[in-house]
Amino acid sequence: MKWSFTIGKLFGIPIRVHITFLLLLVFVALVGKTLTNGLYAVLFVILVFVCVILHELTHSLMAIRYGHKVRSITLLPIGGMAQMDEIPDNPKEEIVISVMGPVASLVIAAVLFGIVSFLKLPLGSPLTASLWEGNMVVSLFWINLFLAGFNLIPAFPMDGGRVLRGVLGVFMDHMKATRIAVFVGQLFAVLLFFVGIFYNIWMALIAVFIYLGAEGEERAWSLRYALADAPVKSVMLEDFRALAPGDTLAHASELFLHTLQGDFPILFGNTLMGILRRETLIAGINDNKEHERVADFAEREYLTTTEREPLVGLYKKMAEKGISMVPVMRGDTLVGIVTMEQIGRYHMVAVAKSAK
Ligand code: ZN
């Protein structure tokens, strides 16, 4: 995720903090009425996020045990996020991985409850827990209880939504299970939104986040499902335009305007020697370099693919790197190109076919 940086590693997993989280710390420090108030709030927020890290770490360690890769854990003001390389498509694994986070929060809550009882502290109620004052152990107890409970609500993208999909996945195919879980998640989000409007604006904001998260989850799955067994060949464009190294940017911009292509392979004879990306083309024109050779603007190191590579793998790499076109090679020969636009079209057709 952009604007986040690594603060350390736990079990080999980089822990990252998003810049908005630091802004949150500054915010709670400044809103405190006194210096002590402010410092209390900063320490409190940091401890809450330690609890969130423990929650995410438990998910991650479970995922690693099943052989998945966890790229990082990122802290945002709204909570933590463990980024996995792939979504587990084994229902049982998904259930266990998802349940373990809330279990970790419950264990922390139980430990804190032990301390609270041992010290005979008044428990109060979750409504009296404040950011700026009170007993920190008691407040942390309520927060962890809330983390466990809230995450178990069966709404995507929360843990409970994943558990629901996992359970449904035992009885039906993954796409159908995802659709139902997404529907339940969005129904919940809409309800929460209306309750939030009248009672608590934060609730309404969280509802929007849940709604969009559920939608994103469905899109990711449906794409993955649609592309499942397709090779690159099924969306390869064989009829494409290429540039010669000596062509000018002006010539390239003509092609850019009069074809559907945005990025162009640059061919020296039959040898692929680079790619002119749309961003570079536009930047070149912006710098008044229309009459210079495209060879000077070529990207020389780029991803290539073959006709038989699984489309879903290529799509992942392209999405990760933000690439919109990849040349398809047969040995040293360029035989076609694959664009994000074509993959999107394939998705549309596959969805239409499966709906029949
Ligand atoms: Zn979780």
Side-chain angles (χ1 to χ4, degrees):
M1 189 172 273
K2 272 184 191 169
W3 293 100
S4 52
F5 45 90
T6 308
I7 51 165
K9 265 187 178 182
L10 284 172
F11 299 95
I13 306 167
I15 309 291
R16 298 167 64 78
V17 168
H18 196 257
I19 186 88
T20 47
F21 176 67
L22 295 183
L23 294 179
L24 176 74
L25 284 184
V26 174
F27 174 76
V28 296
L30 293 180
V31 172
K33 288 184 203 86
T34 62
L35 182 64
T36 348
N37 258 183
L39 287 178
Y40 177 96
V42 169
L43 181 64
F44 183 57
V45 171
I46 290 176
L47 286 177
V48 168
F49 276 81
V50 168
C51 296
V52 172
I53 289 180
L54 289 173
H55 174 115
E56 296 300 330
L57 196 62
T58 316
H59 284 306
S60 305
L61 291 179
M62 219 54 224
I64 290 172
R65 251 189 91 172
Y66 283 125
H68 301 289
K69 272 197 200 129
V70 178
R71 257 185 292 151
S72 62
I73 292 174
T74 306
L75 288 182
L76 299 160
I78 44 167
M81 216 166 68
Q83 270 138 341
M84 280 187 242
D85 260 7
E86 70 255 13
I87 325 167
D89 51 10
N90 173 326
K92 196 193 127 220
E93 288 179 13
E94 180 165 45
I95 295 171
V96 177
I97 294 172
S98 309
V99 160
M100 284 317 276
V103 167
S105 299
L106 273 182
V107 170
I108 301 171
V111 171
L112 291 169
F113 184 74
I115 299 175
V116 169
S117 327
F118 182 74
L119 297 176
K120 299 198 171 66
L121 298 167
L123 256 190
S125 84
L127 297 174
T128 56
S130 153
L131 252 181
W132 291 278
E133 55 199 353
N135 188 293
M136 217 178 272
V137 183
V138 173
S139 303
L140 282 173
F141 159 75
W142 286 118
I143 292 268
N144 278 285
L145 207 58
F146 172 78
L147 272 178
F150 188 70
N151 271 296
L152 281 175
I153 294 169
F156 265 130
M158 271 155 343
D159 299 332
R162 292 178 201 288
V163 174
L164 175 64
R165 176 174 64 191
V167 172
L168 291 170
V170 175
F171 304 103
M172 56 187 81
D173 77 57
H174 250 84
M175 198 59 233
K176 207 167 172 194
T178 304
R179 283 211 186 110
I180 296 177
V182 163
F183 175 75
V184 173
Q186 293 191 325
L187 195 68
F188 170 78
V190 170
L191 286 176
L192 189 69
F193 183 78
F194 281 108
V195 174
I197 282 184
F198 294 110
Y199 294 102
N200 184 334
I201 201 68
W202 269 109
M203 245 192 224
L205 277 177
I206 291 174
V208 172
F209 162 73
I210 292 173
Y211 192 93
L212 295 177
E215 203 166 73
E217 190 82 21
E218 179 165 29
R219 206 178 315 119
W221 264 91
S222 120
L223 192 64
R224 195 181 142 163
Y225 205 75
L227 303 185
D229 302 313
V232 161
K233 197 177 174 33
S234 40
V235 293
M236 177 173 91
L237 287 172
E238 285 167 81
D239 187 15
F240 61 92
R241 303 296 284 268
L243 295 163
D247 287 339
T248 58
L249 282 191
H251 175 69
S253 71
E254 279 304 306
L255 287 186
F256 183 68
L257 292 174
H258 295 289
T259 67
L260 291 174
Q261 248 171 280
D263 313 271
F264 299 89
I266 302 174
L267 285 175
F268 181 66
N270 281 324
T271 313
L272 179 63
M273 57 158 291
I275 293 174
L276 180 69
R277 299 271 175 214
R278 64 190 78 191
E279 301 81 16
T280 327
L281 170 63
I282 298 302
I285 293 171
N286 191 33
D287 293 344
N288 270 326
K289 292 180 177 164
E290 270 131 311
H291 301 296
E292 294 187 21
R293 289 153 26 99
V294 293
D296 299 332
F297 298 86
E299 187 177 279
R300 305 281 177 163
E301 273 172 39
Y302 42 82
L303 184 70
T304 63
T305 180
T306 60
E307 289 154 279
R308 267 183 295 179
E309 184 179 349
L311 199 51
V312 71
L314 179 67
Y315 169 75
K316 242 200 240 171
K317 286 187 231 166
M318 290 173 77
E320 238 163 59
K321 298 187 174 154
I323 301 174
S324 47
M325 185 276 275
V326 173
V328 186
M329 309 298 290
R330 196 183 294 153
D332 287 335
T333 315
L334 175 71
V335 290
I337 60 171
V338 173
T339 63
M340 273 300 204
E341 161 79 21
Q342 288 309 111
I343 298 179
R345 290 184 187 194
Y346 187 88
H347 179 209
M348 286 162 73
V349 174
V351 167
K353 274 184 185 166
S354 76
K356 265 194 294 196

